[in-house]
Amino acid sequence: MREAAKPALEKLDELGIKYYYYEHPLAKTMEDCEGIGADVGAKHFKNIYACDHTETNFFIIIIRADKKFRTSEVSRKLGVSRLSFCTDEMLQENLGVVSGAVTPLALMNDKEHKTLLVVDKDILRDEMVCCHPLTSDASVAMHRYDLIKFVRACGNEIKFLDIGETEQAAE
């Protein structure tokens, strides 16, 4: 078990959440995640850590891997102006992870509950989801509702949105 993953796995165990654990080479792209969790029907999704122009409202935005992320669309749907990507320093300070390891599971480190989880409703189509457990060289697959249970146990709010269209549909 990867040392960096232990706190997330312990929290999953504490909450009684069943998961499948995978170790793999460092995943830097969605292509690197392809196939991980496929044995249980799980799919990875894009994880984006963003903030508004005041840098006081933070968001983990998770969308299906086959969709394009458009900041203007998501900003409008959230009712915030100028949504932008957070710096590595913000990511480390607020979620305790490095770039490339953004995950809803990092909300366990958001003690002030500053981060809203924004979920693309299309993710809920898949029974099983896959995400990194605080490190991008491991993944966990779990039921989609257990991911929601985890986030709620962390004390963070969740907002469900219809986000974008698939990249194939946009072409």
Side-chain angles (χ1 to χ4, degrees):
M1 176 186 329
R2 307 276 193 226
E3 192 63 33
K6 283 184 181 179
L9 301 178
E10 289 170 359
K11 180 80 170 173
L12 289 165
D13 290 338
E14 174 189 314
L15 294 170
I17 293 174
K18 180 182 176 185
Y19 61 89
Y20 301 88
Y21 176 75
Y22 305 88
E23 290 184 1
H24 50 75
L26 193 65
K28 294 182 179 183
T29 66
M30 289 308 302
E31 290 78 26
D32 294 341
C33 296
E34 281 183 25
I36 300 168
D39 60 316
V40 295
K43 294 180 183 174
H44 268 275
F45 42 78
K46 292 179 185 175
N47 298 271
I48 297 136
Y49 192 52
C51 61
D52 65 4
H53 74 283
T54 65
E55 297 183 355
T56 57
N57 295 299
F58 298 92
F59 309 89
I60 293 178
I61 303 159
I62 60 174
I63 65 173
R64 282 190 12 185
D66 63 345
K67 287 189 169 186
K68 288 187 178 185
F69 174 71
R70 293 180 176 88
T71 57
S72 60
E73 173 199 3
V74 177
S75 296
R76 181 177 40 78
K77 288 183 177 184
L78 286 173
V80 299
S81 61
R82 291 197 337 240
L83 196 63
S84 61
F85 297 102
C86 289
T87 65
D88 290 344
E89 293 77 21
M90 290 174 186
L91 182 58
Q92 181 63 46
E93 181 181 324
N94 296 336
L95 299 179
V97 294
V98 299
S99 183
V102 175
T103 173
L105 301 185
L107 291 170
M108 65 181 284
N109 296 327
D110 181 16
K111 303 302 181 199
E112 295 177 25
H113 314 295
K114 295 193 283 189
T115 305
L116 172 71
L117 178 64
V118 178
V119 179
D120 171 15
K121 287 182 181 179
D122 282 341
I123 287 174
L124 301 177
R125 288 186 192 174
D126 299 315
E127 187 171 328
M128 299 290 288
V129 295
C130 208
C131 59
H132 296 308
L134 311 179
T135 180
S136 58
D137 59 358
S139 294
V140 290
M142 68 186 85
H143 193 279
R144 65 184 178 254
Y145 293 124
D146 284 332
L147 178 61
I148 302 304
K149 175 182 176 179
F150 183 96
V151 172
R152 289 196 170 127
C154 292
N156 293 77
E157 292 190 32
I158 304 169
K159 185 166 191 149
F160 299 92
L161 294 178
D162 287 313
I163 300 175
E165 57 188 29
T166 63
E167 291 182 4
Q168 292 91 0
E171 293 174 356

